[in-house]
Amino acid sequence: MMSQSAYARAGVDIEAGDRAVELMKAHVARTRRPEVLGGLGGFAGFFDASALKNFRQPVLATSTDGVGTKVAIAQALDKHDTIGFDLIGMLVDDLVVTGAEPLFVTDYIACGKVVPERIAAIVGGIAAACEVAGAALLGGETAEHPGLLSPDEYDIAGATTGVVERDQILGADRIVAGDVVLALASSGLHSNGYSLVRHVLLTEAGWSLDRQVDELGTSLGEALLTPTKVYATDILAMIEAARGDQPGDGIHAISHITGGGFANNLARIFPSGLGAVVERSTWTPPAIFQLVQGVGKVSRADLEATLNQGVGMAVVLPESAVDAARTSLASRGVESWVCGRVESRDGVELVGEHA
C-alpha cells in the first residue's frame, strides 16, 4: 500500500480534485459558445475576441460577486445543485443592467475538503445557470483549505465579462422626469439578506429547515434555497423589443435589486435631481417576506432596507415603451408591473401599503 504524500497528510487530496474535474467536464461543455477555444483544465480560458469586430464600438463590462451566507442553507440540506444559479444571477444580472451581453464566466470554489460529487453538483448548477444566461463557463478554480474551512464547508464566487455598444450603454444619463418604473418579479429572496433571515428564523425563532410551513406550501429549507432568477436573456430580449427609432426611445436604465433592498438599489441609477416615487399598492410581497417580517418582528424599514420584497429588477423607461417591454417579458414568463414614476426629486420613496 502506497503511503500518503505530505500534502495529503496535511489534508489536501489532489486525486479528489482531479476526479472532480472529470465529473464537471460534461456540465461545462454544455455552456460552450462558438468563441470558446480549447477545453477545461488549462491554466487559462480562451475566448476568441474577433467576434467583437461585429460591433461598431465595443465596450467590455465586467462584474464579480459571490453568494454569501445562502451557501449555509445548501450545506445544511446537503443540496448543492442549485446554488450555482445564485452565483450566476448575482454576476450576469449585475452586468446585463448596463445593456451588456454576458460572454463568459469564471468561478472559484473554496472548500474544506474536495468531495468530487459535491463539487460536480455545484459546478453543474453553475453551468446550468450559464446556459440560461447564454454565457460560456470558461474556467475556474477549486481550492481545498483544510484547517480554514471544515470538511463540509465551502464558499463560491465568480466573475463575468460581457460586451455592449458604447452608444447603447444604459444608465442615469438617459433618465428623464416622467419616465415610469417597471418592476420584475423575483423568484424569492434571491441571494441577499440571508444573515438576517437565518438569524430571525433559525436562531431566534428556532425553526428547523425541515419544518413544513403552510404559508410557503413547502419546507422552510426548500423555500430558502429557491434559486435566484437569472434574467439576462429576458432583459436583453426586452431591451431589443422596446428599442425605438428616436433618441430617448427604449429602455433608459435598469437596477438589479440585490443587497440593500428595492429603494436603495433603484436610487443608485438616478442622476442628481431625479428620483422616483414607488407605490407599494401595486404588488404583494410573496409569503417568505411576510414570514420573515412577522416571525422576526422585523420593522418594515429594516425589511425594505435588506430584502428585495418580491422585486428582482426595476426598469426605468418612457411610458410609450411599457407595452413592448411587458409583452416581451410576458412571452418569456416574466411577471412585470408598473410600480412608480420618475420625478424631479432626490432619492426613491416607497409610499402606501402593499396590496
Side-chain angles (χ1 to χ4, degrees), residues 244-264:
D245 298 324
Q246 302 300 318
D249 288 347
I251 307 302
H252 288 168
I254 307 174
S255 175
H256 187 197
I257 311 303
T258 56
F262 186 9
N264 289 335

Side-chain angles (χ1 to χ4, degrees), residues 5 17 33 36 42 71 75 87 109 113-114 121 128 132 136 149 166 177 191 224 235 242 253 260 294 299 321 343:
S5 69
R33 290 174 51 129
V36 175
V71 296
Q75 291 161 20
L87 177 63
I109 304 171
K113 178 180 175 59
V114 170
V132 171
L149 296 170
R166 183 168 180 172
S191 189
L224 295 185
I235 293 291
S299 70
E343 298 181 355

Side-chain angles (χ1 to χ4, degrees), residues 132-143:
V132 171
L137 182 53
L138 197 57
E141 174 72 9
T142 301

Side-chain angles (χ1 to χ4, degrees), residues 277-289:
V277 174
V278 172
E279 295 279 353
R280 294 188 185 95
S281 62
T282 58
W283 84 98
T284 301
I288 186 63
F289 300 97

